[in-house]
Structures are given as structure tokens and as C-alpha cells.
């Protein structure tokens, strides 16, 4: 599910996981972060020149490293999504919480859908005081950004002011964890030879992209990590639901998909990014974080052969050329740039 898969009761995710993948869902042990998928050979592989552009952590030849500040731009978009709410304007030099700004008067907004107390959302602070900066029962409230501050019982966005307090459209106070499967293949001609870009002379990668129903933007078919769910499972589940419409497949079709996805997702993933996402839904007290993992079908004979079919919250799905001119949701372009560099592909 794209927008908030936690809108589904997590038990249904258990059922789905078992029926589609035959995978057990492992609840994270207390105090531990749910495991992040990355086959060890891939985490240890030598990757040469991935350079950080946005925040978070990225894979490089010398391990996982922290990267410099993320542009905090979509998180300050004037118009809050799916509402008529306008954020208090936060200029670049006032983003940092350490910058004294007594005039700061953010707008408070929590979407009605969140206030309706769906299963995927926290209650309001006051009646509720969760364990922030920790795995709290099955909900991971720790941040990839390190310890975040909690002020008057509410967590503070580690990247600074957004012009809006409350949770907006996000269910969790503090970090809301997502996972993004970036499934790629080479663009080939009728004879199977790689097609090179006329300007960069580099081979062109294609990735599976969905058009989100909520905002109409093209995106990676990611979604929210359900409580207690391993990220490795979220990646497979979201890809299957969004890009293969697995929720409405017959059992026999599910089995074939399951085999192919397990083969690709089980052995070829490398973690592209892990950290804060500059997402338009972010607020001063609730924000998105993600783990983006690339699964590359080098020979074009695994997932590439499956018919794509938009499902769940995806309006459309297709293979799209990886190219810097293609505009994508939230920080997704940044993730693709990292993939293109890693695979020495056109960008
Ligand atoms: C989306 C992910 C995205 C994340 C942060 C989630 O709702 O499904 O694709 O990376 O939000 O923007």
C-alpha cells in the first residue's frame, strides 16, 4: 500500500505474508530494530563512487555512511497535501530548531482520517505516552537519524521546522517507517542488446514505477512497514501488492510470483538508502523514514517477465527509463540516482 499500509490491521499482513510468500513474520525483539533486508554479500560488496546528495545513510565501498543534510523542501511545501491547510512559512535559515525564533507560529493539523483512530494510527498525546526513541511493543519509534528530542510529550522532527504541528496525514508520532523496493532491469533492443543513451553513452536502466492514486505522482512502489514486520517482507509485499496486484490474484498465480520474487528479492538486493525522507506529509512532530533497496534483474528473465498490473493504491504501473529528467515523489529521484551510479547506468 502506498500511502499508509498501516491502515490495514497488521494481522492481515501476517495472513498475506503467509499466503503469498509462505514467510513467517518475525516480531522484533524488545529494544531491537526490525531487521533490514540486505543479503550480506551485497552489504559487503565493493561499491565505488556513491556520493551522498540527500540525508540519511547510503551504501558505499567502505560500509554504510551518514550523508549530509537533506533538502528540507517538500517537508515545507506551502499547501499541506489532501487539505486546504497552509503551513506557516519557514525560511531556510529558520529550519534548524537551534535557531531562536519566537515568532514561529506553526499551524496545527491532524487529518480527520488520523483522528478517527484507525488501527494504523497512534492516539493523541495526553492520553498516550509511548516510548519514543525505542521499539515500543511492535511499533518501531526509533529513528535512523539517531535520538530525536521530545518536547512537551511530542517528538521533534530531527530535520527541523516544517511550519505545521500535529501529525497531518501520518499515523505515528515521530518516525513513520516505510520501505522502497527499486526493481530494475536493462533497457534492451529486440536482439537483447543493451540500449545506450545517445548523450551519456551509458546503458539505460529501467525501474518499476507506479503512479500514486493519492497525489498522481510517479513513485517507487513502496509502503509502510507494519508493526512487527521485517523490512525484507515489507519490500516484497508492497511490490507484489502495488505492481503485480497480488491481492486479487488466484492462488496458482500467486505461487509463480512468489517464487520469482523470492529469487530476486532474496539474493540480489543492495541497500541504496536508509534514513529521513523529505516527504510533503512531514510535520514538526511526525515524519517519514525509509529503507530503499535495489533488486536488479540483470538477465531480464525473472521479475521482468511478469505482467505488471497496478494494484492497491497504485493507479498505473510500468517500466520507466531511469533518467534525471523524470520527476518522482518525495526523495525517490535521489534513490534512483544512487542506483544509476552504482550500476554505471545513464542518469
Ligand atoms: C511511500 C514510500 C516513500 C515514503 C516516504 C511511503 O508512503 O510508500 O514509497 O518512500 O512514503 O516518502
Amino acid at each position: 500500500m502506498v500511502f499508509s499500509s498501516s491502515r490495514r490491521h497488521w494481522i492481515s499482513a501476517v495472513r498475506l505474508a503467509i499466503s503469498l510468500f509462505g514467510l513467517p513474520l518475525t516480531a522484533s525483539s524488545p529494544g531491537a530494530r526490525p531487521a533490514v533486508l540486505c543479503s550480506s554479500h551485497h552489504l559487503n560488496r565493493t561499491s565505488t563512487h556513491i556520493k551522498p546528495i540527500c540525508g540519511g545513510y547510503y551504501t558505499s565501498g567502505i560500509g554504510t555512511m551518514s550523508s549530509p543534510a537533506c533538502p528540507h523542501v517538500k517537508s515545507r511545501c506551502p499547501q499541506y497535501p489532501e487539505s486546504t491547510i497552509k503551513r506557516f512559512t519557514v525560511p531556510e535559515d529558520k529550519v534548524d530548531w537551534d535557531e531562536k525564533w519566537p515568532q514561529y507560529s506553526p499551524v496545527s493539523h491532524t487529518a480527520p482520517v488520523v483522528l478517527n483512530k484507525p488501527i494504523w494510527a497512534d492516539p493523541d498525546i495526553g492520553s498516550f505516552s509511548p516510548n519514543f526513541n525505542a521499539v515500543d511493543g511492535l511499533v518501531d519509534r526509533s529513528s535512523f537519524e539517531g535520538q530525536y528530542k521530545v518536547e512537551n510529550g511530542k517528538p521533534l522532527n530531527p530535520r527541523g521546522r516544517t511550519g505545521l504541528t500535529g501529525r497531518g496525514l501520518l499515523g505515528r508520532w515521530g518516525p513513520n517507517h516505510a520501505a522502497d523496493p527499486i526493481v530494475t532491469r536493462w533497457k534492451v533492443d529486440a536482439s537483447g542488446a543493451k540500449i545506450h543513451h545517445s548523450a551519456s553513452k551509458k546503458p539505460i536502466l529501467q525501474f518499476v514505477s507506479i503512479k500514486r492514486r493519492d497525489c498522481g505522482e510517479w513513485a517507487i512502489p513502496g509502503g509502510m512497514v507494519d508493526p512487527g514486520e521485517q523490512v525484507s517482507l515489507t519490500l516484497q509485499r508492497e511490490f507484489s501488492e502495488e505492481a503485480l496486484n497480488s491481492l486479487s490474484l488466484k492462488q496458482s498465480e500467486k505461487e509463480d510470483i512468489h517464487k520469482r520474487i523470492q529469487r530476486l528479492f532474496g539474493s540480489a538486493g543492495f541497500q541504496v538508502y536508509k534514513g529521513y525522507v523529505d516527504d510533503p506529509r512531514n510535520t514538526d512532530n511526525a515524519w517519514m523514514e525509509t529503507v530503499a533497496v535495489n533488486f536488479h534483474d540483470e538477465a531480464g528473465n525473472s521479475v521482468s517477465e511478469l505482467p505488471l498490473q497496478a494494484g492497491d493504491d497504485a493507479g498505473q504501473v510500468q517500466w520507466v527509463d531511469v533518467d534525471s529528467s523524470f520527476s518522482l515523489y518525495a526523495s525517490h529521484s535521489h534513490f534512483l540516482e544512487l542506483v544509476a551510479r552504482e550500476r554505471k547506468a545513464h542518469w
Side-chain angles (χ1 to χ4, degrees):
M1 181 175 290
V2 179
F3 204 72
S4 177
S5 69
S6 43
R7 287 176 192 186
R8 181 196 321 104
H9 195 289
W10 73 275
I11 288 175
S12 65
V14 175
R15 288 204 199 98
L16 172 70
I18 293 167
S19 70
L20 182 57
F21 302 114
L23 289 177
L25 256 177
T26 318
S28 21
S29 52
R33 163 180 299 290
V36 169
L37 173 84
C38 260
S39 54
S40 52
H41 83 271
H42 233 97
L43 274 180
N44 296 334
R45 72 210 290 271
T46 304
S47 141
T48 44
H49 39 254
I50 290 184
K51 292 259 167 51
I53 297 160
C54 188
Y57 299 85
Y58 65 101
T59 305
S60 87
I62 47 172
T64 299
M65 308 194 38
S66 165
S67 66
C70 185
H72 200 63
V73 175
K74 295 187 182 182
S75 303
R76 289 181 287 147
C77 59
Q79 177 79 47
Y80 192 83
E82 294 188 31
S83 77
T84 54
I85 307 285
K86 300 246 189 288
R87 293 176 190 265
F88 189 84
T89 306
V90 181
E92 193 62 46
D93 63 344
K94 294 287 189 298
V95 167
D96 194 336
W97 291 112
D98 289 340
E99 195 62 45
K100 294 259 177 310
W101 194 21
Q103 297 86 350
Y104 183 51
S105 173
V107 179
S108 168
H109 172 58
T110 299
V113 64
V114 175
L115 290 174
N116 274 342
K117 303 192 181 137
I119 192 79
W120 48 269
D122 292 332
D124 239 342
I125 297 288
S127 57
F128 174 69
S129 41
N131 280 331
F132 288 120
N133 286 300
V135 177
D136 181 27
L138 288 175
V139 180
D140 185 5
R141 300 187 193 278
S142 63
S143 167
F144 293 130
E145 305 286 309
Q147 290 269 321
Y148 51 86
K149 289 187 190 144
V150 178
E151 213 175 73
N152 303 323
K154 294 180 182 169
L156 279 192
N157 187 318
R159 293 304 174 101
R161 297 182 176 100
T162 67
L164 194 133
T165 57
R167 280 170 291 162
L169 284 160
L170 300 177
R172 304 280 171 211
W173 293 99
N176 287 251
H177 290 283
D180 284 298
I182 308 170
V183 173
T184 53
R185 69 179 184 190
W186 294 111
K187 186 174 189 177
V188 292
D189 62 19
S191 71
K194 285 182 192 168
I195 298 177
H196 290 70
H197 192 268
S198 54
S200 70
K201 311 284 179 232
K202 290 183 177 168
I204 300 172
L205 271 177
Q206 295 186 311
F207 78 107
V208 174
S209 185
I210 54 139
K211 192 165 192 191
R212 294 173 63 112
R213 272 196 223 276
D214 56 1
C215 58
E217 286 188 76
W218 285 92
I220 295 161
M224 311 298 287
V225 180
D226 284 332
E229 187 178 44
Q230 289 196 352
V231 171
S232 55
L233 179 61
T234 314
L235 291 161
Q236 296 188 23
R237 180 176 56 72
E238 289 294 340
F239 184 76
S240 306
E241 288 176 7
E242 304 290 342
L244 304 171
N245 199 14
S246 65
L247 292 174
S248 53
L249 290 179
K250 289 195 255 115
Q251 192 55 37
S252 54
E253 295 169 320
K254 280 185 189 172
E255 276 156 23
D256 180 41
I257 288 184
H258 163 56
K259 274 195 212 125
R260 286 174 189 257
I261 291 206
Q262 264 204 327
R263 212 178 321 130
L264 184 66
F265 280 54
S267 62
F270 86 91
Q271 188 177 285
V272 176
Y273 179 86
K274 181 169 83 170
Y276 182 90
V277 183
D278 186 23
D279 186 291
R281 293 166 294 177
N282 291 349
T283 76
D284 285 0
N285 310 119
W287 59 91
M288 290 302 310
E289 300 197 4
T290 200
V291 177
V293 182
N294 177 215
F295 301 98
H296 181 61
D297 184 3
E298 177 68 26
N301 60 2
S302 80
V303 169
S304 303
E305 287 178 348
L306 292 174
L308 298 178
Q309 198 186 335
D312 207 14
D313 287 343
Q316 289 177 47
V317 60
Q318 64 189 59
W319 287 95
V320 169
D321 292 358
V322 172
D323 186 291
S324 56
S325 64
F326 192 68
S327 149
L328 285 167
Y329 184 74
S331 305
H332 291 186
S333 273
H334 165 62
F335 304 157
L336 285 169
E337 181 175 11
L338 296 178
V339 172
R341 287 197 200 182
E342 169 71 12
R343 305 225 172 257
K344 301 189 173 39
H346 167 71
W347 173 239

